[in-house]
Amino acid sequence: MMMGFDTGALLPLSDALQGMLDQLACCCDSEQLPLPEALDRILAEEIVSPLSVPPFDNSAMDGYAVRLADLAAGAPLAVAGKAFAGQPYQGDWPAGHCIRIMTGAPVPEGTEAVVMQEETQVEGELVRFLTQPRPGQNIRRRGEDLAEGARVLAAGLRLSPRELPLLASLGIASVRVRRPLKVAIFSTGDELKPVGTPLAHGDIYDSNRYGVKAMLARLGCECLDLGIIPDDPAQLRAAFLQADREADALITTGGVSVGEADFTKQLLEELGEIGFWKLAIKPGKPFAFGRLPNAWFFGLPGNPVSAMVTFDQLVKPALARLAGQTLAVPLRLAATVTEPLKKSPGRLDFQRGILTQGPNGLEVRSTGSQDSGVFSSLSRANCYIMLEQARGKVAAGETVTVEPFSGLLL
Ligand code: AMP
Ligand code: MG
């Protein structure tokens, strides 16, 4: 299946993404959780409104409920009674009277408008109306927000603080949500040392694991961190097997580039079915994807910027599919570059940029060196500058597509 891509030619990002998504389906069971525990979980059911919101016609203002005919003569009206939120007025409503009403109170039967109190004048026992209301003015109608039976939330939505009060307003106390996707991670490379330990000559700190772990947390995944695994077949094999037993997916960084792939490749081909791709994107050319016996495998390049970008552009949508989440289409905008950008045709570039609001619209500039090892290019950026595969260098003043960093990278 995925071996079909292993042709040696550079694979366009969209083909790689489609090739993965075609094979993936949600693998997370669902459970019923009370609303507060459902925050950040993915809805496993469609929510249909069991009632109308608001459930009854009610006042949008503090003021007076009126019938238009009573106001026709222009004379002040007597007050027949009061309606409060939670305490409807249930008495008679004689002609020539209005009813004092507060915000949220059910409007008494026969109400044609509510006049806000600022547009009235109290004269002893009587109220004078300074304006002529429109029919229906300041009345919130039953079902105006949500009608009974309306589709309110789609399955696949990640629940945010914006949805929980909505669900509560419908009287829904618990919802069916997916269990979190479980993702194992490890970094590979003999040169990698954990933070908090000294570096020998030739060593560097393992930074990728912190990025990958943080992005998994943002995605709502459960993470099994297997640490740093040296370039050693026996240790790698044990780590692959543990990840396969205990997680739904495994993400590794390093070890998939040309110099090293043969080694990892042999091992992975023996354990599962993995395709090694050369993506037509920059940064992030080498990428591996496939199946271990139980878990899906994503092999990211070792270069820190490449690892983050390929995670964001490829692994995020793949994990969302496994987790049962429907992702919003990324927001892509047109902006004017204020300085020239280096670019050679052949790959889709995800350059790191700083997007600002200029006097005539959005402006973007590069964060500097775009080498895939330069992590500061990413940390100072707030967007990708996406330069199309066939495009060459870009002059100041040209229009480019930018993708502001989303929740994953913020
Ligand atoms: P590789 O893909 O293993 O050939 O690694 C490419 C480059 O990324 C090399 O310079 C590695 O030292 C570096 N690298 C690999 N893994 C990590 C990591 N976990 N953290 C920081 N740099 C890494
Ligand atoms: Mg390596």
Side-chain angles (χ1 to χ4, degrees):
M1 39 175 188
M2 54 279 288
M3 297 307 161
F5 288 120
D6 214 357
T7 58
L10 292 185
L11 181 66
L13 178 69
S14 50
D15 293 1
L17 186 56
Q18 202 52 53
M20 287 198 299
L21 293 180
D22 286 347
Q23 297 177 55
L24 301 176
C26 175
C27 65
C28 296
D29 299 335
S30 64
E31 57 183 326
Q32 191 80 17
L33 285 186
L35 285 192
E37 290 169 42
L39 178 65
D40 286 337
R41 291 293 198 95
I42 295 155
L43 261 184
E45 59 177 347
E46 180 185 65
I47 302 293
V48 172
S49 182
L51 45 81
S52 294
V53 178
F56 47 85
D57 292 359
N58 69 95
S59 177
M61 292 287 173
D62 291 343
Y64 296 89
V66 298
R67 289 173 301 214
L68 299 180
D70 291 325
L71 295 178
L77 303 182
V79 180
K82 290 179 181 170
F84 293 102
Q87 294 173 39
Y89 177 70
Q90 272 149 348
D92 288 339
W93 189 352
H97 285 66
C98 60
I99 293 167
R100 180 83 172 115
I101 194 164
M102 298 301 169
T103 306
V107 298
E109 204 179 325
T111 301
E112 290 173 301
V114 169
V115 180
M116 61 196 282
Q117 64 192 30
E118 290 84 342
E119 294 174 356
T120 64
Q121 206 169 301
V122 176
E123 297 175 353
E125 300 288 289
L126 302 178
V127 180
R128 178 175 294 283
F129 291 85
L130 307 176
T131 58
Q132 181 63 33
R134 282 179 291 104
Q137 183 168 312
N138 296 327
I139 299 175
R140 300 172 183 149
R141 294 293 175 193
R142 173 186 152 85
E144 175 179 290
D145 184 352
L146 297 170
E148 185 178 334
R151 295 170 162 194
V152 181
L153 301 175
L157 181 84
R158 177 117 180 259
L159 293 173
S160 78
R162 290 178 290 116
E163 281 84 33
L164 299 188
L166 177 75
L167 290 164
S169 76
L170 298 177
I172 294 172
S174 71
V175 281
R176 186 149 282 281
V177 292
R178 303 264 164 215
R179 72 157 170 86
L181 187 73
K182 189 164 178 190
V183 183
I185 64 171
F186 61 82
S187 298
T188 67
D190 287 337
E191 76 282 25
L192 303 177
K193 292 290 172 297
V195 294
T197 59
L199 294 180
H201 181 58
D203 290 347
I204 58 169
Y205 287 117
D206 168 23
S207 57
N208 285 345
R209 215 153 29 93
Y210 292 87
V212 170
K213 215 172 172 172
M215 291 189 288
L216 287 174
R218 284 278 196 264
L219 276 175
C221 296
E222 204 178 297
C223 179
L224 172 67
D225 185 351
L226 299 178
I228 300 168
I229 309 294
D231 295 313
D232 167 72
Q235 291 187 59
L236 276 169
R237 165 185 267 273
F240 280 122
L241 290 176
Q242 185 187 350
D244 186 51
R245 275 194 313 272
E246 297 181 21
D248 304 304
L250 167 63
I251 300 172
T252 64
T253 66
V256 293
S257 56
V258 185
E260 302 175 297
D262 284 351
F263 176 55
T264 328
K265 202 170 175 174
Q266 260 177 14
L267 197 55
L268 283 168
E269 274 169 2
E270 180 206 319
L271 297 175
E273 196 177 350
I274 314 289
F276 287 79
W277 299 347
K278 292 191 193 74
L279 301 174
I281 66 168
K282 191 181 173 187
K285 189 156 72 169
F287 183 81
F289 167 70
R291 273 225 75 115
L292 296 169
N294 304 301
W296 292 97
F297 172 73
F298 303 90
L300 305 183
N303 272 314
V305 182
S306 310
M308 295 287 277
V309 173
T310 46
F311 185 109
D312 190 27
Q313 293 295 325
L314 278 171
V315 180
K316 176 179 71 177
L319 295 182
R321 175 67 59 92
L322 292 174
Q325 182 181 10
T326 313
L327 288 180
V329 177
L331 186 63
R332 289 179 179 162
L333 308 167
T336 307
V337 284
T338 56
E339 296 161 6
L341 301 174
K342 289 187 195 152
K343 163 86 166 71
S344 338
R347 294 206 257 163
L348 168 63
D349 269 23
F350 287 86
Q351 300 200 6
R352 278 72 66 206
I354 300 171
L355 181 67
T356 53
Q357 180 68 53
N360 301 312
L362 295 176
E363 294 181 348
V364 68
R365 64 182 195 279
S366 167
T367 51
S369 168
Q370 296 293 310
D371 190 278
S372 58
V374 177
F375 204 78
S376 56
S377 71
L378 189 54
S379 72
R380 286 186 291 112
N382 64 4
C383 71
Y384 294 117
I385 306 172
M386 291 179 64
L387 300 177
E388 300 76 6
Q389 197 162 330
R391 197 162 180 174
K393 63 179 192 282
V394 179
E398 284 188 37
T399 300
V400 293
T401 301
V402 296
E403 185 181 314
F405 289 154
S406 64
L408 192 61
L409 291 175
L410 289 180

